Amino acid sequence: MEGALILFVISSTVQKCALNLLEFPYKLKIPLEYCMVEVIFAELFNLPTPRYLEVFYGSVLIELCKLQPTTMPQVLAQATEMLFFRIETMNVTCFDR
């Protein structure tokens, strides 16, 4: 997870952040799209506050969908669906985000 945080920090724009995430060196050995979405949501739901503004995480997800239109939208849809199934057990602060 720290590797993704480093990419967030060294990226000067949302576009560069998304490109850096997609260039992860072990992407052929892991389900990269699923890992990226999980880390981004984990950072967004970090309590008491996320490291960056909430809009940053949404912008990165949108950019990733633009760069990987055949895989990222479906992965993001699956993750979002899982969040809605678990919304009753989520912390209220996370729910509001």
Side-chain angles (χ1 to χ4, degrees):
M1 207 146 110
E2 289 300 318
L5 296 178
I6 291 169
L7 290 174
F8 287 156
V9 172
I10 64 170
S11 301
S12 57
T13 66
V14 169
Q15 292 81 12
K16 285 185 182 179
C17 178
L19 285 171
N20 286 338
L21 288 170
L22 290 173
E23 292 173 357
F24 189 71
Y26 301 107
K27 64 184 171 186
L28 298 176
K29 295 181 179 183
I30 61 169
L32 183 62
E33 291 85 2
Y34 289 92
C35 292
M36 286 188 296
V37 169
E38 184 176 344
V39 168
I40 292 169
F41 276 130
E43 285 298 308
L44 174 63
F45 296 136
N46 187 36
L47 293 175
T49 59
R51 295 176 202 262
Y52 305 103
L53 294 174
E54 287 92 349
V55 70
F56 172 76
Y57 301 102
S59 298
V60 170
L61 289 169
I62 290 169
E63 192 62 31
L64 287 169
C65 287
K66 288 180 188 176
L67 293 171
Q68 294 285 323
T70 58
T71 55
M72 278 305 289
Q74 292 84 0
V75 171
L76 185 56
Q78 287 177 351
T80 304
E81 185 177 17
M82 287 173 43
L83 287 173
F84 276 102
F85 285 136
R86 298 176 181 161
I87 205 159
E88 291 179 1
T89 61
M90 290 176 69
N91 184 296
V92 176
T93 306
C94 294
F95 173 80
D96 288 341
R97 291 183 195 161

